[in-house]
Amino acid sequence: MAQLWGGRFTKETDKLVYNFNASISFDQKFYVQDIEGSIAHVVMLEKQGILTKEEKDAIVKGLTGIRQDVENGTLQITEEYEDIHSFVEANLIERIGDAGKKLHTGRSRNDQVALDMRMYTRMEVIAVDGLVKTLLETLLKIMEENTETYMPGFTHLQKAQPVTLAHHIGAYFEMFKRDRLRLKDIYHRMNYCPLGAGALAGTTYPLDRHYTASLLGFEGPTLNSMDSVSDRDYVIEFLSALSTIMMHLSRFCEEVIIWNSNEYRFVEIDDAYSTGSSIMPQKKNPDIAELVRGKTGRVYGALISILTTMKGIPLAYNKDMQEDKELTFDAIDTVKGCLALFEGMMRTMKFNKPVMEKSAMMGFTNATDAADYLVVKGVPFRDAHSIIGKLVLYCIDKNCSIDDLTIDELKSISPVFEEDVYEAISLKTCVEKRLTVGAPGPDAMQKVIQIEKEYLANDWHNEEEK
Ligand code: ARG
């Protein structure tokens, strides 16, 4: 009886262990990279005289066939294999026989998975960069159309000084530009080939690692075999860059949500990017912006998770590292989805320019300029600050803006005011006068827009993709 029970228990445990250990459910995502890496490996093995030309040709043909069959749906990647590497190798042997058993010569799954993950990540760095670039193009278009759309600039979410919509959007343009620079850096730092590192200590076969690296578009081979199989820095760096992109998107979403609220009405999100309520018929909710903001947590989670997984791993490969995949794949897909949706939402969003302008008028955003006006007339700044403070109080009482006061009312608070004050503190003047580099004045903004246009005309990864 015990034996029967014991046998049953052992069998069940084995199945659980197998499932716990297997990675095919997620590493099938890089079957293309696995096959491309294997092809480069055997081409190099033949060049080095380790495989014959016939063996190499048979393996390349077999691998190409597997890729085609997976792509056209005749070959399913199923969970009967432990991982994508076993799936490819088993299918190869089934197709071409004994030659297939030579594919893994001078290679370990440790350097193989390090290669696959690196190639997959490298491809996605370029894909994410392309999506950020598309977003930048949309933002630049909004900027070009709105260099004279006045709106309040905020600090502490309180109206501070007038800016333009072009200027406000331009702030995000800079953020996403930096995100692209980070991606470019990561790409170049990670673009070295780990294949040939073997399990951890290289191999005794005379591999040409430079050749394999060049076949796969890498700048060269990695220089330490133990580091090669256990380095996941590039995953962490990529997740960090993705987290920063999400942080930027999330801040932007927060603003869109505020701007779209009934109280602000600065913007109206297009129907196609809004959702309704099942109970309240009047509702048009900014769900897309909220979801992007919400999904930021998920991407940060992936970063923290992998940082934590990696922190205690001794050299060289350990199975912990299999945990680098699911969350990274999820984070990449999440960020790509968010970038695409956010871009569409921005492209179709309507800006209520008169509402924005009125808000800037009514919020005393020209108070600093009114104080500066007095300073020009000889009043010390501290006194001017206090005079305008009184003026603001007076206006709050009357529920009007400084511009609405008559010259007599202004003079009753300070005799220094003259007719030219209206021109000096008009919204247009307040913004137009701000002409230092990076300021909202339309002329200064035009110069920046020109720089951004030239920036968008060139892509850092055109060369790498060739
Ligand atoms: N599935 C493994 C991973 O994702 C592949 C490498 C397996 N190597 C090994 N020695 N078990 O990391």
Side-chain angles (χ1 to χ4, degrees):
M1 285 294 282
Q3 209 174 0
L4 262 182
W5 178 89
R8 194 180 125 103
F9 185 82
T10 304
K11 198 173 169 201
E12 201 169 310
T13 308
D14 277 344
K15 179 97 180 84
L16 286 175
V17 169
Y18 181 83
N19 290 342
F20 191 65
N21 201 38
S23 53
I24 188 119
S25 64
F26 48 88
D27 64 17
Q28 58 180 277
K29 196 141 179 140
F30 49 55
Y31 76 92
V32 171
Q33 288 72 24
D34 194 75
I35 290 172
E36 283 178 353
S38 290
I39 290 176
H41 182 62
V42 295
V43 168
M44 180 275 296
L45 289 179
E46 190 241 346
K47 181 179 94 68
Q48 297 304 96
I50 302 164
L51 291 185
T52 65
K53 182 171 183 313
E54 293 67 36
E55 288 167 336
K56 185 263 297 180
D57 286 344
I59 296 175
V60 171
K61 191 160 173 268
L63 289 171
T64 310
I66 291 172
R67 178 174 174 172
Q68 280 164 356
D69 290 351
V70 171
E71 266 153 26
N72 67 29
T74 48
L75 178 62
Q76 307 287 334
I77 302 175
T78 65
E79 309 232 339
E80 75 186 272
Y81 303 95
E82 181 192 337
D83 54 29
I84 191 64
H85 325 297
S86 322
F87 166 84
V88 172
E89 194 172 320
N91 271 278
L92 182 70
I93 294 167
E94 207 172 283
R95 280 170 193 232
I96 68 165
D98 279 353
K101 295 182 184 163
K102 297 194 173 181
L103 166 65
H104 211 51
T105 312
R107 188 174 71 168
S108 153
R109 275 190 301 175
N110 295 353
D111 59 346
Q112 188 178 359
V113 77
L115 173 73
D116 294 358
M117 189 62 183
R118 221 177 255 242
M119 284 173 64
Y120 185 85
T121 309
R122 181 178 69 170
M123 172 185 80
E124 294 293 11
V125 168
I126 302 273
V128 170
D129 183 72
L131 288 164
V132 178
K133 188 183 177 202
T134 306
L135 174 59
L136 285 177
E137 282 161 353
T138 298
L139 296 185
L140 191 62
K141 190 157 177 292
I142 299 172
M143 288 161 69
E144 285 184 274
E145 290 165 359
N146 290 286
T147 53
E148 289 177 47
T149 304
Y150 305 117
M151 65 179 286
F154 297 82
T155 61
H156 313 271
L157 206 54
Q158 309 260 342
K159 291 178 195 177
Q161 290 176 341
V163 294
T164 65
L165 180 58
H167 192 246
H168 196 120
I169 300 284
Y172 286 100
F173 194 99
E174 294 305 314
M175 296 180 219
F176 292 119
K177 240 169 90 179
R178 290 196 293 273
D179 287 328
R180 293 192 73 205
L181 274 176
R182 267 183 277 278
L183 295 172
K184 179 181 173 185
D185 269 4
I186 292 166
Y187 185 98
H188 286 295
R189 207 164 18 254
M190 71 177 286
N191 200 23
Y192 292 88
C193 184
L195 199 63
L200 76 162
T203 158
T204 53
Y205 293 99
L207 307 186
D208 183 347
R209 293 194 58 215
H210 285 278
Y211 184 61
T212 322
S214 75
L215 287 178
L216 294 169
F218 287 101
E219 281 165 48
T222 50
L223 294 184
N224 181 291
S225 60
M226 291 175 82
D227 179 53
S228 306
V229 292
S230 57
D231 167 29
R232 297 295 182 271
D233 288 5
Y234 62 93
V235 174
I236 291 168
E237 286 192 50
F238 188 31
L239 287 172
S240 166
L242 293 179
S243 295
T244 309
I245 291 172
M246 289 305 290
M247 181 266 288
H248 292 152
L249 283 176
S250 184
R251 291 182 73 178
F252 212 159
C253 284
E254 172 71 10
E255 301 220 66
V256 168
I257 292 163
I258 293 171
W259 291 352
N260 187 64
S261 68
N262 298 340
E263 284 69 24
Y264 275 71
R265 293 190 305 106
F266 281 10
V267 300
E268 191 177 337
I269 299 175
D270 195 74
D271 276 4
Y273 287 87
S274 311
T275 48
S277 156
S278 59
I279 179 169
M280 298 166 281
Q282 84 281 13
K283 289 279 233 150
K284 199 175 137 185
N285 296 328
D287 286 28
I288 298 305
E290 290 169 12
L291 268 174
V292 171
R293 189 178 58 182
K295 284 176 190 288
T296 303
R298 184 160 157 171
V299 178
Y300 289 4
L303 171 64
I304 299 300
S305 166
I306 292 171
L307 275 171
T308 312
T309 296
M310 292 303 294
K311 76 180 260 299
I313 303 183
L315 290 178
Y317 177 83
N318 292 258
K319 199 61 180 261
D320 317 40
M321 283 187 248
Q322 181 165 288
E323 284 296 305
D324 65 353
K325 293 175 194 62
E326 281 164 290
L327 292 172
T328 301
F329 295 157
D330 181 75
I332 293 170
D333 294 345
T334 300
V335 174
K336 284 166 79 181
C338 287
L339 280 167
L341 279 162
F342 185 83
E343 187 276 325
M345 183 179 73
M346 290 306 292
R347 185 166 26 81
T348 52
M349 198 159 76
K350 279 191 198 62
F351 295 94
N352 292 332
K353 300 181 190 185
V355 176
M356 287 182 163
E357 193 165 325
K358 186 147 181 263
S359 170
M361 295 280 290
M362 288 308 291
F364 304 108
T365 58
N366 54 0
T368 316
D369 294 81
D372 288 342
Y373 168 87
L374 293 175
V375 170
V376 171
K377 302 265 175 187
V379 181
F381 181 76
R382 198 43 64 209
D383 293 340
H385 186 285
S386 154
I387 293 167
I388 304 299
K390 285 198 192 95
L391 207 58
V392 167
L393 258 183
Y394 181 79
C395 289
I396 291 173
D397 222 38
K398 280 193 72 179
N399 189 26
C400 67
S401 67
I402 301 175
D403 319 54
D404 293 333
L405 299 178
T406 65
I407 189 69
D408 290 340
E409 284 174 300
L410 289 167
K411 276 185 182 296
S412 72
I413 292 177
S414 167
V416 181
F417 283 116
E418 290 174 53
E419 275 296 334
D420 61 353
V421 66
Y422 296 106
E423 166 68 18
I425 65 166
S426 80
L427 210 49
K428 196 165 150 56
T429 315
C430 290
V431 175
E432 272 178 2
K433 277 190 317 198
R434 294 182 147 79
L435 287 172
T436 46
V437 178
D443 290 346
M445 202 64 225
Q446 286 298 351
K447 287 187 191 133
V448 169
I449 287 175
Q450 203 44 46
I451 295 170
E452 311 296 26
K453 265 191 178 160
E454 282 161 29
Y455 156 78
L456 281 179
N458 297 305
D459 259 345
W460 65 263
H461 49 78
N462 277 351
E463 286 309 305
E464 284 81 356
E465 274 174 328
K466 269 177 211 152

